[in-house]
Amino acid sequence: MSKSLSDDSDKLLALQGLSWFTRKAIGLATVVLTIKEYKDESGTYHIDVTSVASGLSSTQEDRTLDWQNRDHQDRIFGRCLGRSRVVTGISNFEPAESYTPSDLDFLKGGHLKDGKSVSKFLDEESVQSYVKNQDSGHGWTAEQVWNFEEINGKRYYTRRIVVKNGKGDKSEKVRLVYDYQGPVPEAKADDDGLAYGDDE
């Protein structure tokens, strides 16, 4: 994750109930994603993401792109219920939550967080991911749109995220930007037990 190009996520993480210590640890960590994309026997697409943050334990985000709810227990974000799908044409994006016009415009790639700087997605297809926290006393929701954007003349993988608190009366948004580091090395014969992702 490019810290210089990504928005500050501290307020968003606070809205999700993360402690000051955890937020600061995340802010200082170097975050690296390994992405594996594949299609199963039924023809359903999957995106498995291993997220490694220096100094913190790794987390696993496995997305099945069929818009069916699935439970997930996360070390940092708790017990969640989420679903994901591919959206072809951002004009066809249908949010799982109701949002302010500025939050919706941000999710659809229309403007940056400041609401003034015009932006747009480069690819016709986006991944939409929606998660609702199931822990007592929290209940926040997070909706994401994954795509690619041009920043300073270069193509980047981005995630636009809007989080709403359990009451639905507060929201925070961030754009996370990722540098491409290249394909994961091929597994060798003596690497039994190691998991490798496919480059996408």
Side-chain angles (χ1 to χ4, degrees):
M1 186 176 75
S2 170
K3 292 183 181 180
S4 62
L5 296 177
S6 297
D7 296 328
D8 183 0
S9 60
D10 187 73
K11 290 182 179 179
L12 182 142
L13 296 173
L15 199 61
Q16 292 176 293
L18 272 65
S19 69
W20 177 89
F21 179 81
T22 301
R23 299 198 314 270
K24 294 306 174 186
I26 291 174
L28 293 172
T30 299
V31 179
V32 177
L33 305 182
T34 300
I35 300 173
K36 179 180 181 180
E37 181 181 331
Y38 60 97
K39 186 165 58 173
D40 65 22
E41 303 79 14
S42 69
T44 302
Y45 279 97
H46 296 252
I47 299 178
D48 296 348
V49 182
T50 302
S51 178
V52 178
S54 57
L56 298 170
S57 57
S58 64
T59 58
Q60 189 69 29
E61 305 175 68
D62 293 342
R63 302 290 204 275
T64 304
L65 306 182
D66 60 1
W67 206 233
Q68 299 299 309
N69 283 321
R70 289 177 174 81
D71 286 308
H72 174 68
Q73 181 68 39
D74 190 277
R75 295 186 191 96
I76 296 175
F77 297 104
R79 190 168 61 91
C80 299
L81 189 68
R83 59 188 190 266
S84 302
R85 64 183 171 189
V86 172
V87 177
T88 302
I90 201 61
S91 61
N92 296 319
F93 174 75
E94 295 181 7
E97 289 278 328
S98 60
Y99 297 102
T100 64
S102 63
D103 283 353
L104 182 59
D105 178 67
F106 174 80
L107 274 176
K108 295 172 73 172
H111 290 82
L112 299 184
K113 185 178 178 178
D114 62 13
K116 300 174 183 178
S117 303
V118 177
S119 60
K120 67 174 183 176
F121 292 135
L122 296 178
D123 287 11
E124 182 71 7
E125 291 186 332
S126 303
V127 172
Q128 177 185 6
S129 176
Y130 175 77
V131 172
K132 183 174 179 62
N133 178 266
Q134 303 293 298
D135 294 325
S136 177
H138 292 283
W140 51 262
T141 63
E143 190 145 7
Q144 303 186 31
V145 176
W146 303 354
N147 203 301
F148 293 87
E149 299 180 51
E150 184 177 311
I151 304 171
N152 300 327
K154 185 178 176 182
R155 177 185 173 94
Y156 289 90
Y157 165 59
T158 65
R159 294 182 176 192
R160 288 176 179 248
I161 309 168
V162 174
V163 167
K164 294 173 70 173
N165 66 354
K167 296 180 180 179
D169 59 352
K170 293 182 181 178
S171 69
E172 292 290 342
K173 54 183 175 273
V174 298
R175 181 180 72 168
L176 302 181
V177 180
Y178 296 87
D179 292 304
Y180 179 63
Q181 300 296 315
V184 175
E186 291 292 329
K188 297 178 183 177
D190 58 352
D191 284 339
D192 291 343
L194 296 179
Y196 292 88
D198 296 333
D199 65 297
E200 277 301 326

